[in-house]
Protein backbone atom coordinates (compact mmCIF):
# COMPACT_ATOMS: atom_id res chain seq x y z
CA UNK A 1 0.00 0.00 0.00
CA UNK A 2 1.14 3.55 -0.69
CA UNK A 3 0.75 4.63 2.94
CA UNK A 4 3.05 1.90 4.17
CA UNK A 5 5.55 2.61 1.39
CA UNK A 6 5.75 6.30 2.34
CA UNK A 7 6.10 5.39 6.03
CA UNK A 8 8.92 2.98 5.20
CA UNK A 9 10.65 5.78 3.28
CA UNK A 10 10.26 8.26 6.16
CA UNK A 11 11.78 5.75 8.57
CA UNK A 12 14.65 5.13 6.18
CA UNK A 13 15.52 8.84 6.21
CA UNK A 14 16.58 8.47 9.85
CA UNK A 15 19.26 6.07 8.64
CA UNK A 16 21.73 4.36 10.93
CA UNK A 17 21.25 7.09 13.52
CA UNK A 18 17.55 6.33 13.99
CA UNK A 19 16.22 6.08 17.52
CA UNK A 20 13.34 3.88 18.62
CA UNK A 21 10.90 4.57 21.46
CA UNK A 22 8.17 1.94 21.69
CA UNK A 23 6.25 1.88 18.40
CA UNK A 24 8.01 5.00 17.07
CA UNK A 25 11.10 5.48 14.91
CA UNK A 26 12.69 8.90 15.46
CA UNK A 27 14.87 11.01 13.24
CA UNK A 28 17.11 13.52 15.01
CA UNK A 29 19.51 16.06 13.56
CA UNK A 30 22.15 16.63 16.21
CA UNK A 31 23.26 19.89 14.56
CA UNK A 32 19.91 21.48 13.76
CA UNK A 33 16.81 21.78 15.96
CA UNK A 34 14.54 22.89 13.07
CA UNK A 35 11.24 21.02 13.16
CA UNK A 36 11.48 19.41 9.68
CA UNK A 37 14.69 17.60 10.67
CA UNK A 38 13.43 16.16 13.97
CA UNK A 39 10.33 13.98 14.02
CA UNK A 40 8.97 10.51 14.74
CA UNK A 41 7.06 8.07 12.53
CA UNK A 42 4.80 5.46 14.15
CA UNK A 43 4.76 1.80 13.24
CA UNK A 44 1.90 0.98 10.90
CA UNK A 45 -1.34 0.00 12.68
CA UNK A 46 0.19 0.77 16.09
CA UNK A 47 -1.91 1.76 19.09
CA UNK A 48 0.51 3.44 21.51
CA UNK A 49 -0.20 3.44 25.22
CA UNK A 50 0.08 6.53 27.42
CA UNK A 51 3.38 5.22 28.76
CA UNK A 52 4.75 4.76 25.25
CA UNK A 53 3.81 8.31 24.28
CA UNK A 54 5.42 9.59 27.50
CA UNK A 55 8.59 7.68 26.65
CA UNK A 56 8.58 9.24 23.17
CA UNK A 57 8.28 12.72 24.66
CA UNK A 58 11.12 12.01 27.06
CA UNK A 59 13.47 11.00 24.24
CA UNK A 60 12.81 14.32 22.49
CA UNK A 61 13.17 16.34 25.70
CA UNK A 62 16.49 14.67 26.51
CA UNK A 63 17.83 16.06 23.24
CA UNK A 64 16.26 19.52 23.61
CA UNK A 65 13.96 18.89 20.65
CA UNK A 66 10.24 19.54 20.24
CA UNK A 67 8.31 16.25 20.47
CA UNK A 68 6.61 15.85 17.13
CA UNK A 69 5.53 13.43 14.43
CA UNK A 70 5.20 13.51 10.65
CA UNK A 71 3.17 10.58 9.36
CA UNK A 72 0.19 9.39 7.34
CA UNK A 73 -2.71 8.89 9.78
CA UNK A 74 -4.42 6.43 7.45
CA UNK A 75 -1.49 4.04 8.02
CA UNK A 76 -1.78 4.27 11.81
CA UNK A 77 -5.29 5.53 12.60
CA UNK A 78 -5.10 4.96 16.38
CA UNK A 79 -2.03 7.09 16.95
CA UNK A 80 -3.61 10.54 16.72
CA UNK A 81 -6.05 10.04 19.59
CA UNK A 82 -3.23 8.84 21.84
CA UNK A 83 -1.21 11.94 21.02
CA UNK A 84 -4.11 14.33 21.55
CA UNK A 85 -4.78 12.84 25.00
CA UNK A 86 -1.13 13.52 25.84
CA UNK A 87 -1.49 17.19 24.88
CA UNK A 88 -0.14 17.18 21.33
CA UNK A 89 -1.68 19.68 18.92
CA UNK A 90 -1.95 19.59 15.16
CA UNK A 91 0.53 21.70 13.20
CA UNK A 92 -1.18 20.97 9.90
CA UNK A 93 -2.60 18.39 7.53
CA UNK A 94 -1.04 18.32 4.10
CA UNK A 95 -1.98 16.48 0.92
CA UNK A 96 0.36 13.72 -0.19
CA UNK A 97 0.89 14.02 -3.96
CA UNK A 98 2.56 11.53 -6.31
CA UNK A 99 3.64 11.57 -9.94
CA UNK A 100 5.43 8.78 -11.79
CA UNK A 101 8.54 9.93 -13.70
CA UNK A 102 7.00 9.17 -17.09
CA UNK A 103 3.95 11.29 -16.29
CA UNK A 104 5.87 14.43 -15.34
CA UNK A 105 5.03 17.47 -17.44
CA UNK A 106 7.69 20.05 -18.29
CA UNK A 107 6.94 23.41 -16.72
CA UNK A 108 7.57 26.45 -18.95
CA UNK A 109 10.37 28.63 -17.65
CA UNK A 110 12.19 31.71 -18.91
CA UNK A 111 14.74 30.91 -21.61
CA UNK A 112 17.40 32.67 -19.55
CA UNK A 113 16.98 30.06 -16.80
CA UNK A 114 18.56 26.63 -17.02
CA UNK A 115 17.58 23.84 -14.62
CA UNK A 116 20.38 21.37 -13.92
CA UNK A 117 21.37 18.61 -11.52
CA UNK A 118 24.08 19.62 -9.05
CA UNK A 119 26.85 17.38 -7.74
CA UNK A 120 29.86 19.66 -7.15
CA UNK A 121 30.75 21.25 -3.82
CA UNK A 122 30.42 24.85 -5.00
CA UNK A 123 27.00 24.10 -6.44
CA UNK A 124 25.82 22.47 -3.22
CA UNK A 125 26.82 25.60 -1.29
CA UNK A 126 24.81 27.79 -3.68
CA UNK A 127 21.81 25.49 -3.37
CA UNK A 128 22.04 25.49 0.43
CA UNK A 129 22.13 29.29 0.50
CA UNK A 130 19.01 29.58 -1.67
CA UNK A 131 17.13 27.01 0.42
CA UNK A 132 18.00 28.66 3.72
CA UNK A 133 17.17 32.10 2.37
CA UNK A 134 13.80 30.92 1.04
CA UNK A 135 12.80 29.14 4.25
CA UNK A 136 14.10 31.93 6.48
CA UNK A 137 16.67 29.68 8.13
CA UNK A 138 20.07 30.90 9.41
CA UNK A 139 22.82 31.45 6.87
CA UNK A 140 23.92 28.20 5.22
CA UNK A 141 26.80 26.37 6.85
CA UNK A 142 28.84 23.21 6.38
CA UNK A 143 26.17 21.11 8.05
CA UNK A 144 23.57 22.22 5.51
CA UNK A 145 25.93 21.28 2.68
CA UNK A 146 26.75 17.96 4.34
CA UNK A 147 23.03 17.17 4.48
CA UNK A 148 22.76 17.70 0.73
CA UNK A 149 25.88 15.63 0.18
CA UNK A 150 24.29 12.74 2.10
CA UNK A 151 21.30 12.94 -0.24
CA UNK A 152 23.63 12.51 -3.21
CA UNK A 153 25.65 9.77 -1.55
CA UNK A 154 22.44 7.86 -0.87
CA UNK A 155 21.35 7.99 -4.50
CA UNK A 156 19.13 11.07 -4.32
CA UNK A 157 19.37 14.18 -6.49
CA UNK A 158 19.86 17.92 -6.01
CA UNK A 159 18.82 20.47 -8.65
CA UNK A 160 19.31 24.17 -9.25
CA UNK A 161 17.76 26.77 -11.52
CA UNK A 162 20.58 28.94 -12.83
CA UNK A 163 20.53 32.33 -14.51
CA UNK A 164 22.41 31.64 -17.75
CA UNK A 165 23.73 35.21 -17.91
CA UNK A 166 24.92 35.84 -14.35
CA UNK A 167 25.37 32.26 -13.13
CA UNK A 168 23.27 33.07 -10.06
CA UNK A 169 21.25 30.21 -8.56
CA UNK A 170 17.65 31.38 -8.51
CA UNK A 171 15.94 28.25 -7.22
CA UNK A 172 16.68 24.75 -6.01
CA UNK A 173 15.28 21.48 -4.73
CA UNK A 174 16.08 17.88 -3.94
CA UNK A 175 14.66 14.38 -4.09
CA UNK A 176 15.73 12.12 -1.27
CA UNK A 177 17.67 8.89 -1.24
CA UNK A 178 15.27 6.24 -2.57
CA UNK A 179 13.89 3.44 -0.43
CA UNK A 180 12.29 0.61 -2.41
CA UNK A 181 11.62 3.07 -5.23
CA UNK A 182 10.05 5.74 -3.01
CA UNK A 183 11.56 9.19 -2.38
CA UNK A 184 10.34 12.63 -1.35
CA UNK A 185 10.71 15.79 -3.42
CA UNK A 186 11.52 18.49 -0.88
CA UNK A 187 13.22 21.81 -0.30
CA UNK A 188 11.77 23.41 -3.43
CA UNK A 189 13.02 26.96 -3.04
CA UNK A 190 12.94 30.08 -5.21
CA UNK A 191 14.44 33.47 -4.43
CA UNK A 192 11.76 36.05 -3.68
CA UNK A 193 12.88 38.17 -6.64
CA UNK A 194 12.13 35.36 -9.12
CA UNK A 195 8.92 33.78 -7.89
CA UNK A 196 5.89 33.18 -10.12
CA UNK A 197 8.11 32.55 -13.13
CA UNK A 198 7.75 28.78 -13.35
CA UNK A 199 11.03 27.99 -11.59
CA UNK A 200 9.54 25.82 -8.82
CA UNK A 201 7.65 23.76 -11.37
CA UNK A 202 10.70 23.37 -13.61
CA UNK A 203 12.89 22.19 -10.72
CA UNK A 204 10.19 19.75 -9.59
CA UNK A 205 9.73 18.37 -13.10
CA UNK A 206 13.47 17.78 -13.54
CA UNK A 207 13.81 16.00 -10.19
CA UNK A 208 10.74 13.87 -10.88
CA UNK A 209 11.85 12.79 -14.33
CA UNK A 210 15.54 12.34 -13.47
CA UNK A 211 14.56 10.27 -10.46
CA UNK A 212 13.80 7.36 -12.77
CA UNK A 213 17.52 6.92 -13.50
CA UNK A 214 18.14 6.88 -9.74
CA UNK A 215 15.65 4.05 -9.27
CA UNK A 216 12.86 6.29 -7.98
CA UNK A 217 9.54 4.99 -9.29
CA UNK A 218 7.24 6.75 -6.82
CA UNK A 219 8.30 10.31 -6.02
CA UNK A 220 5.97 12.08 -3.59
CA UNK A 221 5.69 15.47 -1.94
CA UNK A 222 3.57 17.33 0.61
CA UNK A 223 2.86 20.94 -0.43
CA UNK A 224 2.66 23.48 2.36
CA UNK A 225 -0.31 25.35 0.91
CA UNK A 226 -2.81 25.47 -1.95
CA UNK A 227 -0.57 27.69 -4.06
CA UNK A 228 2.27 25.21 -3.93
CA UNK A 229 -0.15 22.36 -4.62
CA UNK A 230 -1.27 24.07 -7.84
CA UNK A 231 2.36 24.35 -8.98
CA UNK A 232 2.90 20.63 -8.47
CA UNK A 233 -0.43 19.74 -10.06
CA UNK A 234 0.71 21.48 -13.27
CA UNK A 235 3.78 19.21 -13.27
CA UNK A 236 1.54 16.14 -13.02
CA UNK A 237 1.24 15.46 -9.30
CA UNK A 238 -2.07 14.18 -7.94
CA UNK A 239 -3.38 13.69 -4.41
CA UNK A 240 -3.36 10.17 -2.99
CA UNK A 241 -3.46 10.74 0.77
CA UNK A 242 -2.84 13.05 3.68
CA UNK A 243 0.08 13.69 6.05
CA UNK A 244 -0.31 14.90 9.61
CA UNK A 245 2.29 17.03 11.41
CA UNK A 246 1.59 17.12 15.15
CA UNK A 247 3.68 18.28 18.11
CA UNK A 248 3.81 18.94 21.82
CA UNK A 249 4.94 22.53 22.30
Amino acid sequence: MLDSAVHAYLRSVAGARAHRAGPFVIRFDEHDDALPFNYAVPDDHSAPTADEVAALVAVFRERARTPRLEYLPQAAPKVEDALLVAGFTEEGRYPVLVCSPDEAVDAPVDSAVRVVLVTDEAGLWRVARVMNETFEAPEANEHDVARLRRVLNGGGLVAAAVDTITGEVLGAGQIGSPHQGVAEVAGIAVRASHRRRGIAGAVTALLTRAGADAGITMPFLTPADDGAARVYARVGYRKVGEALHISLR
Side-chain angles (χ1 to χ4, degrees), residues 21 26 28 51-65 67 88 248:
I26 312 169
F28 286 122
D51 286 345
E52 287 172 332
V53 174
L56 173 72
V57 171
V59 172
F60 275 86
R61 297 297 193 206
E62 288 167 3
R63 291 163 177 78
R65 297 293 187 264
F88 281 70
L248 180 66

Side-chain angles (χ1 to χ4, degrees), residues 40-97:
V41 180
D43 292 343
D44 294 355
H45 312 296
S46 57
T49 65
D51 286 345
E52 287 172 332
V53 174
L56 173 72
V57 171
V59 172
F60 275 86
R61 297 297 193 206
E62 288 167 3
R63 291 163 177 78
R65 297 293 187 264
T66 300
R68 65 188 302 274
L69 292 87
E70 295 187 7
Y71 74 105
L72 278 61
Q74 53 267 36
K78 295 183 179 180
V79 171
E80 184 176 357
D81 284 345
L83 297 174
L84 293 174
V85 168
F88 281 70
T89 57
E90 177 184 314
E91 294 175 3
R93 293 179 188 270
Y94 306 98
V96 176
L97 311 182

Side-chain angles (χ1 to χ4, degrees), residues 101 117 155 157 175 178 181 183 205-219:
L117 296 177
L157 304 170
I175 187 165
L206 173 64
L207 290 169
T208 303
R209 185 172 288 113
D213 292 332
I216 299 169
T217 56
M218 193 182 80

